Structures are given as structure tokens and as C-alpha cells.
Amino acid sequence: MERYTGKSILKGIAIGKILFYSREEQVVQRRSITDPEAELARYEKARETAIEQLQALYEKALKEVGEVNAAIFEVHAMMLEDDDFNDSVKNIIEFQKLNAEYAVAATGDNFSRMFAKMDDEYMQARSADVKDIAERVVGILHGRRDGKDPGDEPVILAAKDLAPSETVQMDKSKLLGFVTELGSANSHTAILARTMNIPALIGIHVGPEMDGLMAVIDGIAGELILNPDADTLKAYREKQQEELRQRELLQQLKNKEDVTLDGKHIKLYANIGSVGDTAKVLANDADGIGLFRSEFLYLEKSDYPTEEEQFQAYKTVAETMAGKKVIIRTLDIGADKQVDYFQMDKEENPAMGYRAIRICLDRTEIFKTQLRALLRASAYGNLSVMYPMIISVKEVRQIKAIVEEVRSELAEKGIPMGEIEQGIMIETPAAVLISDLLAKEVDFFSIGTNDLTQYTLAIDRQNAKLDSIYDAHHPAVLRAIQMVIENGHKGGCWVGICGELGADTTLTETFLKMGIDELSVTPAAVLPIRKIIRETDLREEG
Ligand code: PEP
Ligand code: MG
């Protein structure tokens, strides 16, 4: 049994086997080989393993989801028997003397492109399948136990580092927790772990030797325990049960109002990063969505999401929330949220660089596509829109002019739209200092304390070395919040907090006393905050 100490980003307990994930392994290298026979044998073995896996998946799916849905695995297995596919892989290995991984990946790409160009819709749909099977075989060649899938058993993922784009693409139902060596507590990967409500530790040395080992994440002590002995495991299972009991107790607060003892109603909303997260919002009984980080729709994809794709996503969330408020934040990429297809230059100082609204106001075609999708979706629920990284009144006026332009274009075409509230995120000191002026321009403010702390304290939120001094409780941050609330109210805006600080239960009472109108928090924090709101009396003390 070994213990490692790191920094916890969610105070829970996870127990399970480790799956080591290496980004380098996912990248297919092109290598010359000297022994094509041996390479062909490697390919043959991997191909057979893949077929066996697919047959097992078929059998399992047949029992669980029926023949129609299971058929896909049979189709995949058949593709691996296809002569054209196999000949192409073998030719690359034999005649170009290149490694099997490269031969499979290149064949997969070629076939996938060829299918995508076909007129027949059925054949076009096979384009994704052929890529999928190539990835499975490459995964097996890379030595992953079961190819592309982590397997059926949920795992604790261990990785050197995880980018937000990698985290969003993970199958959350198979993740018990994760452990990374790099990364900071305020990064978006950490925020995603909180949204998923899975225990996570950072700052722990990880390596392939951990793969397959039994482990415990103790998010309270910030420890990873490898190969726990029977007594330790038993103790942690009991703690986990206790955690569950506590969570059950909070369930009693469902369907209760978010109102203080003296009758002040608070809007208690939740933050999401994907359409799928809406289920967590409902399960935790939040009264709305106070921050939909729409950029994750872009991070999940390898090309710009179309207007239609975005429209469907926003419409689904609006409809699922059935009249409850849904605030969608427009695209906020840049800094740690990098999207390859945007082809952005490398910057010295990306957190203070070309990001968020700056990109939208520069590349207006991207912004207008998103606004069209949002305005169209507004006909299907109670949508609001907010804009990130604002620093000036000029920007807000520019945004409003673009919104009006898009709205008139849609109206001319007779497309139905709802009324939307427009707000801005207050996450720069500039926005705080001119919040009196900004309040006259918009309907609401949502304070982004993650960035506001970063810029107020001049501490890079991505830098793990500075985690200990990244202090969101710093009086400068708290004074900034107070000032924004006062200026917002004077200018007729309601004011909320959607940064991680909003979920800090040690400050809930302080925020309520400051006059906050809304708190938007990670879904799992909704009920704990509700408990405090309902126990707070704003009449106490002077
Ligand atoms: C914030 O900065 O507080 C915020 C909510 O936005 P993000 O964390 O996505 O930058
Ligand atoms: Mg921010």
C-alpha cells in the first residue's frame, strides 16, 4: 500500500482500478520498420483481438439494447474482414515498410474520406464507422487492454495532464475519478470534474506502472492510496456509504424554495458545459441554468459547430428546462480552452490575449452563427444570453448592435424568437470599475470570480505553483463583488455569481448580506447552498 499526497478538487471518495491515459499514445507515429513479416503478424493479431472484442460487444448489446442497436458491432467486425481494407493496410506495411499503427490509421483515414464523398447516405454514415474500427485496432496495437474503450468497468483515470477538450470527450459514465500530475485547481478541467461530481486530485506523480492497480482517491485528505490493504479498503467503503447518506439527507431539500428566513428569494441556478449536464441540473433541483459554457460545444468537435447543431443543443436545453431560466454564455475560447481548428497564433500571454468576446467581435461570422442559433432557440424556452470578458461600454454597444442586426434578419424571414435578457460577465477589474456605466447597458451582471480573481490578484489561474496564493477570499475580490452588486442594483440590473466562489458555502451568507440576487453553481452544490440560504436570516446584526 502506498500513499501520495496531492491537491483535491472535489471532496469525495472514489474506489476502483486505475486506467493510465497517455496523450502521446493517442498520436499515431509514422515509423520505418525493418521486419515487415513481424509487423504483419502484429497487425493480424490486433485485428483478431478487435474482432473478438466486437463480437463480445455484440453479444452484450444484443441482451441489453436489442438486435437493431447491437448490429453496429457486427458491421464493425465485418469491416475488419473486408479485403480492400486489409490489403491496403498490408501494402503499406509490406511495400512502404511502415509500422502497423500508421498503416491502419492511414487506411482508416482514406476509407473514411472515400465513404464521406459517396452519394448514398448509408455509405456516408459508414465513414465514421471505419474511423472507429481503425482507432480500435490502433488502440490494441498501442497495448491498451481493450483498444479504444476503457472497458465496461468504471475506472479512476490517471494522466500527466488533461486538456478541457479531452475531458469533455470522455465517457463520464465510466469515470469514478481522476488523478493528474499537472493542472491547477482553477483550470477548466478541474471545473469539469466538479460538474461531473467525481473526486479528482492534481499534483500526483502518475505513470504507466499504475495501470490496472486498485486505488482509492481520498478527496478530503487529498490523497491517492495505491494497492490499499483490506482494512483500508473497508474503512473507505464505509466512508463512501456515509457520504451517500449525507447526500440522501440533502434530498429532503428538493422542491423547497430558495428563500431566506426573512423572506428574500434567491435565484439558485446551476452551471453546465454540455447538453447532457442538464440532467444533473434537474436531478439537483436547480431553478435554472445560470451559466452554459457554450464553448464546450466547440471543444467537443473537430470543426466549427454549425448553426443547426448549435440551435439543436440550445433548443434541447431550453425545452428540457421547461420554462426555467437558461443563461447561455457566448463562446469563450482562448487561454486554456484551445480549439485547433480556430488556428490561433501561439501567444505569450493567452489569458490576457485573443480570447472570448475579443474573438467574437473580430471574427463576427462565428459570433453571428452562434447568435442566430441562440435567437432561434429562444422561441423554445426561457433563454438569456451573456457575454464573457467584457472590458468596456463600447464592446457592449457593439455586441448589442450585432444582436439587433441578427434579430432583424431572422425576423424578416419570419423565424419565431422569444424575448431574451442580455447580460455580461463581470470578470475583469475594468468591468468592476465601470460597473455603474455597464449597468445602464444590460439586464444583468454575472460575476465570473474565477477570472476576476486571476486578474485582480495578477495570478495565472492555470499555474499550479500559485494555487496556494490564488485566494478568491482576498479582500480585493470581495470588495469588487460588493461594488458590482451595488452598482448593478443602482443601474437596474440583477446581479449573480457564476464563478466557483458562488459554491463556497463559507461565503454564502456573506454574499446574501451583500445583496446578491443569484448564485449559479456546479449542480452537486445546489442543495448544500439551498440549505444555507434557508437557514440565513438577513435581519440579524446591523
Ligand atoms: C469565471 O471566470 O468565473 C467563469 C465563470 O468563467 P470561466 O471559468 O469559464 O472562465
Ligand atoms: Mg471566465
Side-chain angles (χ1 to χ4, degrees):
M1 184 164 91
E2 299 134 63
R3 284 177 186 269
Y4 301 91
T5 307
K7 188 170 170 103
S8 166
I9 45 183
L10 192 118
K11 291 194 180 357
I13 287 167
I15 304 174
K17 282 197 183 141
I18 290 199
L19 175 78
F20 180 71
Y21 167 89
S22 157
R23 189 174 301 153
E24 290 74 48
E25 250 183 30
Q26 313 305 312
V27 179
V28 175
Q29 313 272 354
R30 185 180 191 274
R31 274 188 295 108
S32 294
I33 47 145
T34 50
D35 187 354
E37 282 307 310
E39 206 62 12
L40 282 172
R42 274 186 74 223
Y43 168 61
E44 199 46 43
K45 195 155 173 276
R47 191 178 75 89
E48 279 165 19
T49 309
I51 292 174
E52 277 165 26
Q53 282 176 5
L54 288 162
Q55 277 161 353
L57 282 171
Y58 173 75
E59 297 296 332
K60 185 168 179 286
L62 194 61
K63 281 193 216 117
E64 291 174 3
V65 289
E67 192 165 353
V68 175
N69 295 315
I72 187 67
F73 298 117
E74 223 179 12
V75 173
H76 281 198
M78 269 156 48
M79 280 178 167
L80 280 171
E81 308 274 9
D82 181 72
D83 284 344
D84 290 339
F85 186 90
N86 281 313
D87 288 348
S88 162
V89 175
K90 287 177 184 167
N91 284 342
I92 297 176
I93 296 177
E94 226 174 329
F95 301 116
Q96 297 184 37
K97 299 212 168 20
L98 292 169
N99 56 320
E101 289 87 340
Y102 177 79
V104 174
T107 301
D109 281 350
N110 289 341
F111 276 62
S112 159
R113 242 176 281 136
M114 187 177 79
F115 282 133
K117 281 197 204 127
M118 290 184 177
D119 290 335
D120 184 309
E121 257 182 46
Y122 176 82
M123 294 314 281
Q124 281 174 9
R126 301 285 72 80
S127 165
D129 292 328
V130 77
K131 259 196 121 102
D132 210 37
I133 55 165
E135 275 174 30
R136 176 177 293 279
V137 179
V138 168
I140 295 167
L141 286 163
H142 274 147
R144 290 275 297 277
R145 288 165 307 202
D146 47 7
K148 191 175 164 237
D149 298 322
D152 293 326
E153 203 186 332
V155 289
I156 293 176
L157 194 86
K160 288 275 174 215
D161 194 12
L162 283 175
S165 57
E166 290 169 306
T167 320
V168 282
Q169 286 177 44
M170 280 169 190
D171 180 351
K172 281 113 189 146
S173 65
K174 296 203 178 132
L175 270 191
L176 296 168
F178 64 72
V179 184
T180 66
E181 193 161 320
L182 308 172
S184 80
N186 309 298
S187 67
H188 284 91
T189 294
I191 291 173
L192 282 167
R194 284 185 209 115
T195 310
M196 293 186 232
N197 198 22
I198 58 170
L201 296 174
I202 53 173
I204 298 226
H205 174 73
V206 298
E209 66 285 356
M210 286 181 169
D211 198 56
L213 297 185
M214 189 65 189
V216 174
I217 293 181
D218 179 343
I220 301 146
E223 279 186 342
L224 176 76
I225 298 125
L226 270 190
N227 288 322
D229 57 34
D231 285 348
T232 310
L233 208 51
K234 184 164 170 272
Y236 274 111
R237 289 207 197 282
E238 279 165 13
K239 269 195 195 175
Q240 214 177 21
Q241 285 305 318
E242 179 51 31
E243 241 181 40
L244 269 178
R245 268 192 296 276
Q246 294 299 332
R247 242 185 261 171
E248 297 274 295
L249 272 181
L250 282 171
Q251 299 298 308
Q252 295 168 357
L253 289 169
K254 275 190 172 176
N255 300 320
K256 296 258 162 72
E257 281 188 314
D258 299 302
V259 59
T260 60
L261 287 172
D262 54 311
K264 174 162 182 188
H265 285 262
I266 306 295
K267 304 176 215 261
L268 182 54
Y269 297 161
N271 296 345
I272 64 166
S274 69
V275 177
D277 290 341
T278 316
K280 296 190 191 84
V281 178
L282 296 175
N284 287 284
D285 196 36
D287 210 28
I289 292 172
L291 167 64
F292 179 177
R293 289 183 162 95
S294 69
E295 58 276 7
F296 287 118
L297 296 178
Y298 293 69
L299 288 176
E300 279 167 3
K301 308 223 13 137
S302 50
D303 204 349
Y304 297 95
T306 61
E307 176 186 324
E308 194 57 29
E309 279 168 336
Q310 292 192 61
F311 164 67
Q312 290 299 342
Y314 306 144
K315 174 172 176 270
T316 305
V317 175
E319 284 180 337
T320 313
M321 291 303 291
K324 289 185 172 170
K325 200 168 194 67
V326 175
I327 304 176
I328 298 180
R329 170 175 78 187
T330 57
L331 180 65
D332 183 11
I333 58 158
D336 65 328
K337 288 175 286 194
Q338 290 294 334
V339 186
D340 288 346
Y341 57 84
F342 270 74
Q343 295 181 335
M344 299 204 290
D345 296 334
K346 212 156 175 49
E347 293 176 295
E348 282 292 316
N349 228 329
M352 295 206 256
Y354 188 65
R355 59 173 290 197
I357 202 68
R358 299 169 187 178
I359 298 177
C360 289
L361 289 176
D362 182 40
R363 297 176 63 179
T364 45
E365 76 291 359
I366 295 175
F367 194 34
K368 284 185 180 170
T369 303
Q370 181 170 36
L371 290 173
R372 268 196 301 274
L374 283 168
L375 287 168
R376 284 172 56 200
S378 67
Y380 298 86
N382 180 2
L383 276 198
S384 299
V385 183
M386 68 179 175
Y387 311 103
M389 284 293 292
I390 294 298
I391 55 165
S392 70
V393 170
K394 185 172 161 220
E395 277 171 341
V396 178
R397 292 194 177 150
Q398 256 175 297
I399 294 166
K400 288 199 296 187
I402 296 173
V403 172
E404 272 324 299
E405 194 186 317
V406 173
R407 180 183 279 287
S408 332
E409 281 164 14
L410 291 174
E412 254 170 48
K413 291 189 189 143
I415 292 176
M417 287 171 278
E419 279 302 311
I420 55 162
E421 273 197 326
Q422 292 188 76
I424 54 172
M425 295 205 44
I426 303 285
E427 45 188 355
T428 63
V432 173
L433 294 170
I434 59 163
S435 48
D436 55 335
L437 306 176
L438 291 167
K440 296 185 187 133
E441 303 289 329
V442 291
D443 301 310
F444 66 94
F445 286 161
S446 187
I447 308 176
T449 50
N450 310 334
D451 278 316
L452 185 58
T453 306
Q454 150 163 278
Y455 299 123
T456 303
L457 306 184
I459 291 176
D460 178 359
R461 68 193 263 198
Q462 289 301 114
N463 190 333
K465 273 202 196 117
L466 305 177
D467 269 356
S468 62
I469 54 167
Y470 175 100
D471 176 16
H473 289 218
H474 191 293
V477 178
L478 297 179
R479 280 191 196 183
I481 295 172
Q482 176 80 75
M483 180 173 170
V484 171
I485 296 173
E486 280 168 16
N487 280 336
H489 287 170
K490 272 187 216 148
C493 283
W494 61 264
V495 184
I497 296 177
C498 65
E500 297 295 284
L501 200 63
D504 185 333
T505 47
T506 65
L507 283 176
T508 310
E509 200 177 328
T510 308
F511 293 145
L512 295 177
K513 290 195 166 141
M514 284 181 179
I516 204 76
D517 304 293
E518 179 235 31
L519 290 170
S520 189
V521 298
T522 194
V526 168
L527 295 177
I529 301 272
R530 175 167 298 161
K531 183 165 184 291
I532 302 182
I533 293 175
R534 295 175 59 83
E535 287 165 0
T536 301
D537 192 337
L538 297 172
R539 290 165 303 195
E540 284 170 8
E541 310 156 30

